[in-house]
Amino acid sequence: MNHVDLRLYAILDPERTGGRPLDRLADAAAAGGATLLQLRDKNAGTRSFVARARQVKAALAGRIPLIINDRIDVALAAEADGVHLGRDDMHPADARRLLGPEAIIGVTLKNNADLAVLDPALVDYGCIGGVFATASKNNPDPPVGLAGLTSLRARAATSGLPVGAIAGIDAGNAADVIAAGADGIAIISALFMAEDVTSAARQLRGLVEAALSRRTR
């Protein structure tokens, strides 16, 4: 199992950036304290996605890992640090075989069925969601809410994996999400739609750190 720091998991989607360059936004997020960055692009062609991934990787300059959403081929071509897989994406066992033991592999956790196949021999982290309603992604499943997050996180604890939370999280509820058991927050719009991405990242990271500190007292 690879160590993965989920405290501020930045998810960069070109549809939620206000049209600004992805490499500059990635750089700004890392400068503000993001601990992991995922590049998500549901609409790009393969060549375009690979080119964007390479630009983002260059901007990060090794400060934090770069994860690619869904696309094993893009992760390989861009030499990213890993992938994040949904329930309908490639099976983690196949992704691990293709990417090797050093790659970071994360999975989405929506319900108990997803938890039942959470295998720490194959994956490095999980992300529970959606916690709240969000405009960043079409999600046919209803939000699990804070109570659902707490319940799913407790069940995931047996895996020993770090588990984050995603969907609808911002500065107003980040502390509550951590208090409910998440090891970190995955942020899209509240980070990359902000006018000052570095300041937004710094604020969110501070809220996470404070909440984690209160949880361990």
Side-chain angles (χ1 to χ4, degrees), residues 37-160:
L37 188 138
Q38 178 192 133
L39 181 59
R40 184 179 82 178
D41 195 333
K42 299 292 187 179
N43 300 311
T46 300
R47 291 187 183 183
S48 175
F49 200 168
V50 170
R52 287 175 172 175
R54 287 173 174 160
Q55 290 172 349
V56 169
K57 182 182 177 183
L60 293 176
R63 288 173 291 175
I64 59 176
L66 170 63
I67 304 299
I68 302 299
N69 181 261
D70 296 350
R71 299 286 300 272
I72 309 298
D73 57 339
V74 173
L76 284 167
E79 298 182 305
D81 298 290
V83 293
H84 182 88
L85 303 172
R87 58 172 60 156
D88 295 321
D89 297 325
M90 185 179 289
H91 192 283
D94 295 319
R96 178 61 71 195
R97 179 175 55 83
L98 291 169
L99 294 172
E102 301 303 318
I104 297 170
I105 297 179
V107 292
T108 299
L109 304 173
K110 294 178 178 290
N111 52 38
N112 289 330
D114 294 332
L115 289 169
V117 295
L118 183 62
D119 186 349
L122 296 175
V123 305
D124 301 296
Y125 74 87
C127 202
I128 294 172
V131 177
F132 306 112
T134 178
S136 297
K137 183 179 180 181
N138 260 339
N139 193 347
D141 301 297
V144 300
L146 291 174
L149 170 61
T150 299
S151 176
L152 289 169
R153 180 65 185 95
R155 291 183 175 93
T158 57
S159 71

Side-chain angles (χ1 to χ4, degrees), residues 4 25 31 35 49 51 75 107 143 149 164 166 169 177 191 210 214:
V4 183
L25 294 175
T35 56
F49 200 168
V107 292
L149 170 61
I166 190 171
I169 302 171
V177 169
L191 181 57
R214 288 192 294 271

